[in-house]
Amino acid sequence: MKLTGFSAAGFRNLEPLEFTPGAALTVICGRNGQGKTNLLEAIWLLTGGKSFRGAKDAELVGRGKEFAVLEGDVDDEERPQHIQLTVGLPGSGRPGRTARVNGVDMGRAGAIAGTFTAVVFEPGHLSLVKGSPSGRRNFLDAALCQLYPGYLGLMRRYLRVVTQKNALLKAWNRTAGAGEMRQIFDEQLLTLGEEIGRRRQEYLTALSGPACRCYEEISGGSEALTLAYRPSTQPGESLAQALERLRAAELRAGCCLAGPHRDDFEVLLNGQPARVFGSQGQQRSVVLSLKLAEAEQARQVTGRHPVMLLDDVLSELDAGRQSYLLTRMEGKQTFVTACESAAFLRTDGVIYTMEAGRLSRA
């Protein structure tokens, strides 16, 4: 898969731009705070309307604007696709995030998930190693949403039931028929939750092989990476058994205590938790390995390699790890941001400069 053209207007601090990416490597250089990450975020939004920074609509639309328009031409080796994504403020002609593909109105931007696939790395993704479980759950869910469009609807139904059950538990003594309602919610949680947990575990298992191989190569074989899914249930316990065991505890807590919304996965280096014992460089290498494995898994499922979006990727990597990563970029369309272009001068990359939101060819 390749992005053959891209334009943006009214997005964050970016001046209106239109450019042709390189067939393989596109480098966006510039000082911090100039808009390099904003450009990667704009491209990423074409995957389904979600910001990898978790930004709200008002944060995406430029100051003094009512809406932002992003457009991309995608070559997926089957037929060209033209994606137009609009982010509108409340009160504008088209509020929220909506999309068109080849001129056809698709409604909400989430409907285009899978049309354009990409893998993004940005420094905030170090939270995959050292952050809370929610970041690791989001990593699995975001990947699954791109690969299996029906997964997004599955997650939305599950989270809606969790919200309803939590509201019931908080208002238990004021709700007539609370016991019967809880039984209905638990049945729905069980059906949806088991499916989500199964898909996540299968995906993490498939991801583990290439991720561990990538890390072994990055580290020169000196360290071993291990990934392990950690469900909210006890060892050997089913979700149904956990829901039954936690009935009284949930009433006391006022929230649902079992299910995939509380699952996690563990990252180990040489058998030790990477979030505790891993250096900043090691943690960055772990996340890069996960991202490279995510791209490989997408290729396995879809038959097309996703576009790579790598923000400030070379920071805190030693020369050997930088060289390895540059080698892995070959043959895949990749967008990279960097403060300096020196590391990329010996590549075939197309180099652009970003300054105060203006993009120009270097």
Side-chain angles (χ1 to χ4, degrees):
M1 178 162 294
K2 284 184 169 56
L3 186 68
T4 58
F6 182 78
S7 66
F11 187 81
R12 288 197 184 262
N13 79 319
L14 299 182
E15 296 291 332
L17 62 85
E18 183 174 349
F19 79 106
T20 301
L25 178 62
T26 301
V27 183
I28 314 296
C29 294
R31 293 175 291 110
N32 291 332
Q34 302 304 301
K36 304 188 302 293
T37 303
N38 292 345
L39 178 55
L40 293 193
E41 180 184 34
I43 295 172
W44 171 258
L45 282 165
L46 297 182
T47 64
K50 286 189 176 294
S51 162
F52 59 71
R53 294 151 141 178
K56 298 178 181 178
D57 294 347
E59 297 169 308
L60 298 177
V61 177
R63 186 174 300 175
K65 309 291 185 181
E66 290 190 349
F67 55 86
V69 179
L70 311 173
E71 298 190 56
D73 292 307
V74 178
D75 181 1
D76 68 354
E77 299 179 3
E78 294 178 0
R79 66 189 184 99
Q81 305 266 34
H82 181 79
I83 302 173
Q84 182 188 74
L85 189 140
T86 303
V87 183
L89 298 180
S92 65
R94 197 175 177 114
R97 304 180 195 187
T98 55
R100 294 177 179 271
V101 176
N102 296 333
V104 178
D105 191 343
M106 305 298 290
R108 294 174 61 177
I112 66 172
T115 305
F116 170 62
T117 58
V119 170
V120 63
F121 168 87
E122 58 100 12
H125 285 151
L126 290 176
S127 62
L128 280 174
V129 177
K130 61 185 182 181
S132 67
S134 63
R136 289 181 285 277
R137 290 193 295 267
N138 289 341
F139 165 71
L140 297 177
D141 292 336
L144 286 165
C145 283
Q146 285 202 71
L147 297 180
Y148 309 102
Y151 186 81
L152 178 59
L154 180 66
M155 278 298 304
R156 283 175 173 166
R157 292 195 302 274
Y158 175 79
L159 293 175
R160 189 181 306 121
V161 175
V162 171
T163 299
Q164 292 170 332
K165 180 178 175 180
N166 287 345
L168 173 66
L169 292 170
K170 287 180 173 67
W172 185 265
N173 293 328
R174 305 188 305 274
T175 305
E180 292 78 6
M181 292 175 64
R182 180 179 187 170
Q183 184 62 33
I184 294 171
F185 290 148
D186 278 350
E187 290 173 358
Q188 294 174 336
L189 282 176
L190 185 59
T191 300
L192 299 169
E194 285 183 334
E195 178 67 9
I196 291 169
R198 179 185 66 79
R199 292 200 187 192
R200 281 183 183 168
Q201 291 188 57
E202 287 179 352
Y203 179 75
L204 188 67
T205 298
L207 200 70
S208 291
C212 295
R213 286 193 296 274
C214 282
Y215 192 86
E216 182 180 15
E217 292 171 0
I218 289 174
S219 67
S222 62
E223 301 151 10
L225 172 67
T226 306
L227 305 175
Y229 197 80
R230 301 296 186 218
S232 57
T233 55
Q234 294 180 350
E237 182 182 54
S238 68
L239 180 54
Q241 291 170 329
L243 289 170
E244 181 62 31
R245 174 176 57 83
L246 293 167
R247 288 180 67 83
E250 288 184 338
L251 278 175
R252 291 192 299 270
C255 63
C256 182
L257 298 176
H261 65 290
R262 300 179 71 90
D263 288 358
D264 194 4
F265 70 85
E266 192 170 20
V267 180
L268 304 172
L269 287 178
N270 292 336
Q272 299 294 322
R275 63 183 175 81
V276 177
F277 296 97
S279 68
Q280 191 86 345
Q282 287 173 317
Q283 292 176 353
R284 185 175 289 258
S285 297
V286 167
V287 177
L288 286 171
S289 298
L290 288 170
K291 292 295 180 176
L292 291 169
E294 180 186 348
E296 174 59 24
Q297 187 61 18
R299 188 192 67 78
Q300 292 283 349
V301 173
T302 67
R304 305 182 301 273
H305 197 286
V307 172
M308 303 293 292
L309 306 173
L310 306 177
D311 186 28
D312 193 25
V313 71
L314 299 184
S315 296
E316 300 182 45
L317 295 181
D318 58 34
R321 297 185 190 216
Q322 287 187 9
S323 177
Y324 169 80
L325 186 60
L326 289 171
T327 301
R328 288 299 299 266
M329 292 178 190
E330 295 175 358
K332 310 172 182 70
Q333 191 181 37
T334 305
F335 294 77
V336 182
T337 68
C339 292
E340 301 290 341
S341 62
F344 303 95
L345 294 178
R346 287 179 291 180
T347 70
D348 294 329
V350 177
I351 299 177
Y352 287 87
T353 298
M354 179 72 75
E355 184 173 359
R358 294 183 179 85
L359 185 70
S360 59
R361 184 75 178 261

